[in-house]
Amino acid sequence: MFLFLSSAMSAKVVTDTLESTRGDRVIIIYDISQNNGQVIIKFIDTKKRLGRIFKDKYKKLDEVAVLFFDRMGNYGDETEFSGISPEPFMIPSNVNYKISKDGFFLLNENQKLSLELKSAESEELKMPIFIAHYEGKHRYKVFSRCEDLVVKLSKSKQDVKPDNQGTQLTTQTIISQEETDGTEADVVVANSLINRITGLIEEQEDYPFPTN
């Protein structure tokens, strides 16, 4: 199945573990596709583990959200945030990006970012990650700020087969965490890849698979 995946997808699956100063931890898994400056970041899965300070206060993790912002204020659906002040990610000068309608991204809702590099110069997109508790009626209390999620952007090109019958597609998995509990992250990555393969098989009737 993984050999099939390598030939059928143009994506790089990245796993990043981020922590807060209070011991909260989130594992973020995303799929990044890059082709001639066009970059699509799809957030596949997010796992959260609260530290000693908040794990007893917020016992229902389904009410805890991991999120980031791309602007300040005037959020969609009249959503309100209290607690720690939101901090939107900065858009590098070499990147074209259209601000979202909602102004925030909940990472448990299969969110996607589309960007464009203006030149061949590589960039780093640094997104402050927050943890919030859903209080009801479109209200969230932001109680923790984690490290930045750093996404590397480059103007890479897809390799074309010599016979011009299609595009040679590759998949690469990167796990960027230096911890002793790597087994948990490995399992999350494997499950996410299997789910993605299954979805492609069910939806696709012709070959090759779409790259977006």
Side-chain angles (χ1 to χ4, degrees):
M1 180 170 285
F2 284 100
L3 289 176
F4 174 78
L5 175 66
S6 295
S7 62
M9 295 174 58
S10 175
K12 181 169 62 177
V13 177
V14 182
T15 298
D16 216 338
T17 299
L18 309 173
E19 293 188 2
S20 74
T21 57
R22 297 185 175 184
D24 307 306
R25 179 188 302 172
V26 296
I27 299 175
I28 299 176
I29 303 174
Y30 62 92
D31 172 304
I32 179 168
S33 301
Q34 304 181 100
N35 185 28
N36 292 329
Q38 299 294 327
V39 181
I40 297 178
I41 304 169
K42 296 180 181 179
F43 293 93
I44 301 172
D45 198 5
T46 303
K47 302 296 182 182
K48 55 228 172 188
R49 182 183 299 169
L50 301 184
R52 177 177 55 85
I53 297 176
F54 294 115
K55 68 178 181 180
D56 292 331
K57 185 175 183 179
Y58 303 117
K59 295 182 178 180
K60 296 182 179 180
L61 288 182
D62 57 344
E63 297 179 355
V64 174
V66 179
L67 68 163
F68 64 88
F69 300 82
D70 66 358
R71 75 162 185 263
M72 288 287 292
N74 297 319
Y75 301 114
D77 293 329
E78 298 182 352
T79 302
E80 297 179 1
F81 295 93
S82 61
I84 298 175
S85 297
E87 179 184 348
F89 67 83
M90 300 299 293
I91 302 172
S93 59
N94 188 35
V95 173
N96 283 327
Y97 172 74
K98 184 178 180 180
I99 300 297
S100 67
K101 177 181 177 181
D102 291 333
F104 66 95
F105 294 80
L106 298 173
L107 295 190
N108 59 346
E109 295 188 356
N110 198 27
Q111 295 283 2
K112 180 173 69 173
L113 282 181
S114 297
L115 312 100
E116 180 183 9
L117 281 170
K118 299 177 184 178
S119 70
E121 183 179 355
S122 298
E123 289 285 359
E124 283 189 344
L125 190 64
K126 298 181 179 180
M127 295 181 285
I129 300 298
F130 296 87
I131 307 177
H133 180 255
Y134 182 61
E135 308 280 290
K137 298 181 179 180
H138 302 284
R139 298 194 311 272
Y140 290 85
K141 183 177 182 179
V142 182
F143 62 85
S144 188
R145 198 249 200 232
C146 295
E147 302 166 278
D148 292 351
L149 177 65
V150 180
V151 181
K152 296 182 179 180
L153 310 176
S154 62
K155 204 167 186 177
S156 59
K157 296 182 179 180
Q158 297 172 339
D159 299 325
V160 179
K161 292 181 179 180
D163 58 7
N164 291 325
Q165 292 180 355
T167 302
Q168 181 64 41
L169 307 176
T170 60
T171 296
Q172 181 179 4
T173 300
I174 298 177
I175 300 177
S176 55
Q177 69 172 27
E178 300 177 4
E179 301 182 5
T180 57
D181 62 339
T183 302
E184 178 183 357
D186 293 342
V187 171
V188 173
V189 172
N191 290 336
S192 299
L193 287 175
I194 291 171
N195 291 336
R196 183 166 172 78
I197 295 169
T198 303
L200 285 172
I201 293 174
E202 292 177 350
E203 296 176 3
Q204 187 67 14
E205 298 179 354
D206 300 319
Y207 295 97
F209 285 138
T211 61
N212 53 16

